[in-house]
Amino acid sequence: AVKQIEKRDSVLTSKQQIDRLLRPGSSYFNLNPFEVLQIDPEATDEELKKRFRALSILVHPDKNQDDPDRAQLAFEAVDKAYKNLLDPEQKKRAVDVIQAGREYVEHNVKKKKQLKKDGKPQFLEEDDPEMFRQAVYKQTMKLFAELEIKRKEREAKDMHERKRAREEEIETAEKAKREREWQKNFEETRDGRVDSWRSFQAGKSKAKKEKKPRSFLKPPKVKMEQRE
């Protein structure tokens, strides 16, 4: 069933591919590079390259001049997915997420089967291969979305910390600049302040020397008159 779906999807028209790549929720659907390129994680490098060429030609803006803006966005999604899969580390991360999604669904199926075995009625829609594929697909997309949300949160946090560090750096630099300017101004005006102080002190000393001694009025001498 999966192979049939991939074969069907591989021959979508340019418009259908653009619509697929830009459908609602595509910002999360397109986090899975294998989903974007519609190729198996087990595909060889040569198959990957061949698939990229075919899909990039379909959605290229030059081939979709009636809708170049949307075609450009679709082309960028295809190009990004291809570059991610060319990076061994990025590819491994994507494969690990897909494997984790499959293991999660298989674990849930195992639990349901155990409950059914214990006599508790359980409807296992995952017994249908197509339903199992859809369950894995949904869980995988959920995992990709959760990882992207965490990545954005880390990015926002890092950006905030960098901004705060930058503001502190600017404030420290401005404070140091103000201190240097104050010191420079202090040194430049020091001679003037010293001269002013000396002049003030000299003026006080001169005024003290020129100060006349206080004179006190003496009472007139009274002659004692002799009695006749």
Side-chain angles (χ1 to χ4, degrees), residues 154-166:
R154 286 196 306 271
E155 191 177 75
K157 183 179 178 181
D158 290 344
M159 186 178 295
H160 176 72
E161 290 178 352
R162 286 196 300 270
K163 182 181 177 183
R164 186 177 62 181
R166 180 58 180 160

Side-chain angles (χ1 to χ4, degrees), residues 126-137:
E126 291 88 350
D127 281 344
D128 181 335
E130 176 59 20
M131 297 301 290
F132 179 81
R133 188 193 75 86
Q134 288 185 19
V136 171
Y137 174 83

Side-chain angles (χ1 to χ4, degrees), residues 15-29:
K15 183 181 182 308
Q16 288 171 325
Q17 283 289 5
I18 292 172
D19 289 342
R20 177 184 72 86
L21 291 165
L22 301 182
R23 67 196 185 279
S26 60
S27 59
Y28 286 108
F29 289 124

Side-chain angles (χ1 to χ4, degrees), residues 191-222:
D191 293 342
R193 290 196 308 276
V194 170
D195 290 342
S196 296
W197 176 251
R198 286 174 178 168
S199 298
F200 174 70
Q201 291 290 69
K204 281 179 66 179
S205 178
K206 186 178 180 182
K208 186 175 182 180
K209 287 179 180 179
E210 292 178 349
K211 190 174 181 181
K212 293 181 179 179
R214 293 179 63 184
S215 59
F216 297 93
L217 293 174
K218 294 181 179 180
K221 292 182 178 180
V222 179

Side-chain angles (χ1 to χ4, degrees), residues 86-148:
L86 287 180
D87 182 335
E89 187 177 335
Q90 294 281 352
K91 182 177 182 179
K92 182 180 183 305
R93 187 176 295 122
V95 170
D96 287 346
V97 173
I98 293 171
Q99 183 60 31
R102 175 175 290 275
E103 288 177 357
Y104 180 86
V105 174
E106 288 175 344
H107 176 70
N108 279 349
V109 170
K110 188 175 180 181
K111 282 172 61 178
K112 287 182 178 180
K113 285 184 175 180
Q114 185 60 47
L115 288 173
K116 190 174 183 179
K117 187 177 179 181
D118 294 342
K120 297 179 180 179
Q122 291 289 325
F123 172 65
L124 290 178
E125 60 180 17
E126 291 88 350
D127 281 344
D128 181 335
E130 176 59 20
M131 297 301 290
F132 179 81
R133 188 193 75 86
Q134 288 185 19
V136 171
Y137 174 83
K138 289 177 182 178
Q139 183 59 31
T140 300
M141 288 299 102
K142 183 179 177 182
L143 291 176
F144 272 110
E146 288 174 351
L147 289 173
E148 178 66 4

Side-chain angles (χ1 to χ4, degrees), residues 7 69 99:
K7 184 177 179 181
D69 293 339
Q99 183 60 31

Side-chain angles (χ1 to χ4, degrees), residues 9 12 14-24 26 29-30 34-38 51 55 59 70 74 78:
D9 289 343
L12 290 175
S14 293
K15 183 181 182 308
Q16 288 171 325
Q17 283 289 5
I18 292 172
D19 289 342
R20 177 184 72 86
L21 291 165
L22 301 182
R23 67 196 185 279
S26 60
F29 289 124
N30 293 348
F34 295 105
E35 168 66 19
V36 172
L37 298 177
Q38 296 175 311
R51 179 58 185 156
L55 190 53
V59 301
R70 295 181 76 245
V78 171

